[in-house]
């Protein structure tokens, strides 16, 4: 979908559909009042008669309005001002659902007059655009009968003159982020029999064909062996699918300034291995590659925007399967860093594929490294599916990531990485065990990673809860944390 911005008096916006947000219990905004006047007081009458109460996310379509340049008017209730992010999303979703049923290609939305708590016009526009994109997203590749695709392909934001530049920038950023999120969602929704490690590698290679300043290198098992990546290899051992370490390098900066590095967990299916998971809901473990997919999605957004920064994106990909060749509980492997690991639970595989990738990225002398992983069920228990877990070794970096999440409406929350937790990883037989105890699972997982990230500022995002929407009509990948990561890049230009 195309996002654009214009400035114009509301009654002069020439469009197939004008979406007009209206707050309850307050006079019409200036734009709404101007429309009302051009419409012979029709809006005020609808409100006075109680035909439109402006309750949250309610909609009323006025199909053939006369006296204004727009052909149709869609009133959207906002409830009481100001709006929260969540309420804004709900009303945008309701408006877009209503708009997509019409035979139109373009809709315009009056942003002017919309009040959202602690958000300026740039951020409001981003929020609306990204929600509109999510509402229109469909994944029907495997449906024999597809629902007819919506015609709606442009959303235009009508803003005050003073906000035009900000809204234009927001529209362009949101469009790139939306593309990135959709890419990430598609990959997360693909089943494990299609989206395996080599498939993810091919996606990166395709991206490098599409954009000139991206180069891609793919390491196979042999290369991993020569690098001594014993942990990554141990996870892949039980699978017929070979592992892949995919390294994408984007050169957007004019100089050879230090890159930012993103490292994503790419377990294309997580059965648990010999420490087999229970059967119920195991199908969802196809989304255990969403960390990697979010690296691809963020790379896509950055490529679209051609941001002036150097960015390294790494996907550490394997399939975690049980078999006669699979790693056993108790097996000891040597990581690329030289540290040995006792694999007490083969289901704690994410940290194993990540640790070697985290050692590998040292060669890029990154100014910061962020890893993204559907790492622990414990993170779902702690934070649910709304907030990503965040831990790391550099307070300044952590604060930057938190701020990016807030700006992007893709929030994270810091958990402590106190030294006291480290002893849970003590092993009698090797340098480190791959699991801690029963408690603080998200923290002990990060403790494990912290043993491999001592040489650079590092932050870890646990997206086990946020990368996927479980059950219900919206079941599927969420595209998170592409907005947070892209925002982080934007904030670091
Ligand atoms: N991929 C899972 C984590 C996960 C669980 C993600 C649920 C999304 C939803 C990860 O590989 C895993 O199995 N972690 C174990 C770690 C444990 C064995 C220490 C877990 O969380 O149970
Ligand atoms: Mn697992
Ligand atoms: Zn996993």
């Amino acid at each position: 979908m195309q996002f654009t911005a214009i400035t114009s008096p509301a009654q002069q916006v020439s469009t197939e559909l004008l979406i007009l947000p209206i707050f309850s219990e307050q006079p019409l905004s200036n734009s709404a009042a101007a429309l009302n006047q051009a419409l012979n007081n029709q809006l005020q009458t609808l409100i006075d008669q109680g035909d439109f109460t402006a309750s949250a996310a309610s909609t009323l379509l006025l199909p053939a309005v006369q006296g204004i340049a727009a052909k149709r008017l869609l009133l959207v209730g906002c409830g009481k001002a100001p709006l929260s992010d969540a309420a804004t999303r709900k009303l945008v979703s309701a408006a877009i659902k209503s708009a997509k049923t019409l035979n139109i290609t373009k809709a315009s939305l009056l942003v002017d007059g919309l009040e959202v708590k602690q958000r300026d016009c740039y951020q409001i526009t981003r929020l609306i655009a990204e929600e509109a994109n999510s509402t229109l997203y469909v994944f029907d590749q495997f449906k024999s009968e597809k629902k007819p695709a919506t015609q709606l392909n442009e959303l235009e934001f009508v803003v005050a003159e003073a906000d035009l530049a900000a809204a234009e920038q927001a529209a362009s950023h949101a469009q790139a982020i939306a593309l990135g999120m959709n890419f990430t969602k598609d990959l997360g929704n693909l089943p494990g029999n299609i989206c395996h490690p080599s498939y993810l590698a091919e996606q990166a290679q395709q991206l490098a064909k599409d954009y000139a300043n991206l180069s891609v290198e793919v390491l196979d098992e042999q290369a991993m062996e020569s690098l001594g990546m014993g942990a990554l290899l141990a996870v892949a051992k039980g699978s017929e699918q070979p592992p892949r370490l995919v390294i994408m390098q984007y050169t957007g900066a004019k100089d050879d300034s230090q890159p930012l590095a993103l490292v994503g967990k790419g377990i294309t299916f997580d059965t648990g291995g010999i420490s087999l998971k229970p059967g119920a809901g195991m199908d969802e473990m196809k989304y255990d590659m969403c960390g990697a997919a979010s690296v691809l999605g963020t790379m896509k957004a950055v490529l679209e925007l051609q941001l002036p920064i150097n960015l390294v994106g790494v996907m550490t990909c394997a399939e975690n399967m049980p078999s006669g060749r699979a790693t056993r509980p108790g097996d000891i492997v040597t990581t690329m860093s030289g540290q040995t690991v006792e694999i007490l639970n083969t289901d704690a595989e994410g940290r194993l594929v990540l640790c070697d990738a985290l050692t590998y990225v040292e060669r890029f002398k990154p100014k910061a490294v962020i890893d993204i992983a559907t790492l622990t069920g414990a993170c779902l228990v702690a934070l649910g599916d709304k907030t990503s877990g965040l831990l790391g070794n550099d307070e300044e970096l952590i604060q930057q990531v938190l701020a990016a999440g807030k700006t992007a409406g893709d929030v994270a929350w810091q958990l402590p990485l106190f030294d006291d937790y480290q002893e849970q990883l003590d092993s009698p037989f090797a340098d480190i065990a791959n699991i801690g105890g029963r408690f603080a699972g998200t923290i002990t997982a990060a403790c494990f990673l912290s043993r491999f990230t001592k040489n650079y500022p590092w932050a870890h995002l646990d997206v086990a809860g946020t990368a996927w929407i479980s059950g219900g009509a919206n079941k599927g990948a969420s595209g998170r944390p592409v907005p947070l990561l892209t925002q982080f890049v934007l904030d670091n230009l």
Side-chain angles (χ1 to χ4, degrees):
M1 165 166 251
Q2 176 99 16
F3 299 120
T4 52
I6 58 157
T7 179
S8 161
Q11 65 280 17
Q12 286 170 25
V13 180
S14 160
T15 178
E16 295 174 280
L17 176 72
L18 183 61
I19 302 172
L20 172 65
I22 298 183
F23 286 98
S24 63
E25 294 176 37
Q26 73 179 52
L28 293 175
S29 68
N30 291 344
S31 310
L35 282 167
N36 182 50
Q37 201 180 12
L39 291 165
N40 286 324
N41 206 37
Q42 225 188 106
L43 296 183
Q44 194 59 56
T45 309
L46 284 170
I47 294 167
D48 293 346
Q49 286 179 174
D51 294 327
F52 184 70
T53 61
S55 65
S58 60
T59 57
L60 181 66
L61 178 72
L62 309 182
V65 283
Q66 256 142 39
I68 61 174
K71 286 191 190 152
R72 305 171 187 81
L73 196 56
L74 179 67
L75 312 184
V76 195
C78 300
K80 277 191 233 164
L83 287 159
S84 64
D85 285 5
T88 310
R89 287 203 168 101
K90 283 195 181 122
L91 78 88
V92 170
S93 177
I96 297 298
K97 275 184 188 139
S98 170
K100 80 169 185 192
T101 63
L102 305 171
N103 183 27
I104 59 171
T105 56
K106 175 182 160 186
S108 308
L109 190 148
L110 260 178
V111 180
D112 193 21
L114 203 56
E115 287 170 66
V116 183
K117 263 177 244 166
Q118 292 177 2
R119 298 225 176 257
D120 57 18
C121 183
Y122 168 87
Q123 292 182 12
I124 295 173
T125 307
R126 277 268 307 264
L127 194 65
I128 298 173
E130 287 164 34
E131 184 60 26
N133 173 65
S134 296
T135 306
L136 291 174
Y137 175 82
V138 276
F139 183 80
D140 59 3
Q141 280 184 48
F142 300 100
K143 294 277 194 192
S144 309
E145 274 176 47
K146 303 186 200 309
K147 293 195 192 111
T150 173
Q151 314 255 26
L152 187 62
N153 59 24
E154 183 181 347
L155 183 60
E156 175 183 71
F157 300 103
V158 185
V159 299
E161 205 175 324
D163 289 328
L164 184 60
E168 275 171 343
Q169 190 171 51
S172 125
H173 289 170
Q175 198 167 312
I177 290 168
L179 265 180
M181 287 177 83
N182 291 355
F183 189 19
T184 300
K185 285 189 200 183
D186 284 347
L187 293 168
N189 289 333
L190 282 175
N193 61 325
I194 292 173
C195 182
H196 41 61
S198 313
Y199 184 90
L200 285 175
E202 284 158 22
Q203 296 305 305
Q205 279 157 338
Q206 185 57 48
L207 211 54
K209 280 189 195 142
D210 295 343
Y211 298 89
N213 48 1
L214 183 73
S215 65
V216 170
E217 191 185 353
V218 179
L219 304 188
D220 62 9
E221 277 170 297
Q222 219 186 340
M224 291 172 196
E225 250 152 52
S226 9
L227 286 162
M229 296 180 156
L232 172 50
L233 285 163
V235 174
K237 262 179 75 185
S239 173
E240 297 291 322
Q241 290 293 342
R244 292 288 182 260
L245 189 78
V246 184
I247 304 111
M248 296 172 269
Q249 281 185 270
Y250 165 77
T251 13
K254 297 236 156 40
D255 50 28
D256 50 2
S257 58
Q258 281 180 281
L260 171 71
L262 303 177
V263 179
K265 169 179 171 182
I267 298 296
T268 57
F269 197 79
D270 182 12
T271 64
I274 296 298
S275 313
L276 195 64
K277 286 182 180 297
M282 203 204 272
D283 62 289
E284 294 198 345
M285 278 302 118
K286 68 178 184 177
Y287 89 88
D288 214 14
M289 35 53 72
C290 277
S294 76
V295 173
L296 266 176
T298 304
M299 195 54 94
K300 173 122 186 158
V302 169
L303 283 162
E304 274 292 303
L305 294 168
Q306 287 293 307
L307 297 176
I309 193 175
N310 293 331
L311 180 64
V312 174
V314 173
M315 300 193 287
T316 179
C317 308
E319 183 181 53
N320 190 20
M321 287 290 218
S323 85
R325 273 193 299 273
T327 294
R328 292 154 285 260
D331 282 3
I332 296 176
V333 297
T334 304
T335 63
M336 185 181 172
S337 73
Q339 299 174 88
T340 57
V341 178
E342 186 186 14
I343 302 178
L344 291 174
N345 189 319
T346 62
D347 197 12
E349 84 296 340
R351 61 201 78 182
L352 297 174
V353 296
L354 282 167
C355 70
D356 283 335
L358 288 166
T359 302
Y360 184 83
V361 294
E362 280 182 16
R363 66 187 54 207
F364 301 110
K365 305 200 171 17
K367 62 178 176 216
V369 177
I370 304 176
D371 80 75
I372 309 98
T374 47
L375 203 61
T376 63
C379 193
L380 260 162
V381 176
L383 297 173
D385 62 3
K386 310 280 182 235
T387 309
S388 302
L390 175 63
L391 305 98
N393 64 11
D394 186 281
E395 201 47 38
E396 201 184 319
L397 175 62
I398 295 271
Q399 291 306 323
Q400 283 177 7
V401 175
L402 284 173
K406 235 177 161 176
T407 306
D410 180 7
V411 286
W413 198 257
Q414 186 182 10
L415 297 173
L417 192 59
F418 299 141
D419 276 343
D420 301 6
Y421 292 97
Q422 293 281 353
E423 64 190 26
Q424 288 192 41
L425 298 176
D426 288 350
S427 157
F429 303 114
D431 298 337
I432 330 169
N434 81 325
I435 52 168
R438 203 154 91 76
F439 301 113
T442 303
I443 297 174
T444 51
C447 283
F448 183 92
L449 299 178
S450 75
R451 311 282 182 110
F452 301 87
T453 57
K454 296 206 187 297
N455 296 330
Y456 44 68
W458 157 74
H460 158 66
L461 277 166
D462 194 327
V463 296
T466 52
W468 183 261
I469 299 159
S470 275
N474 288 328
K475 177 172 178 172
S478 68
R480 293 177 67 183
V482 170
L484 176 153
L485 294 170
T486 311
Q487 188 63 48
F488 180 85
V489 175
L490 287 167
D491 291 347
N492 272 279
L493 297 178

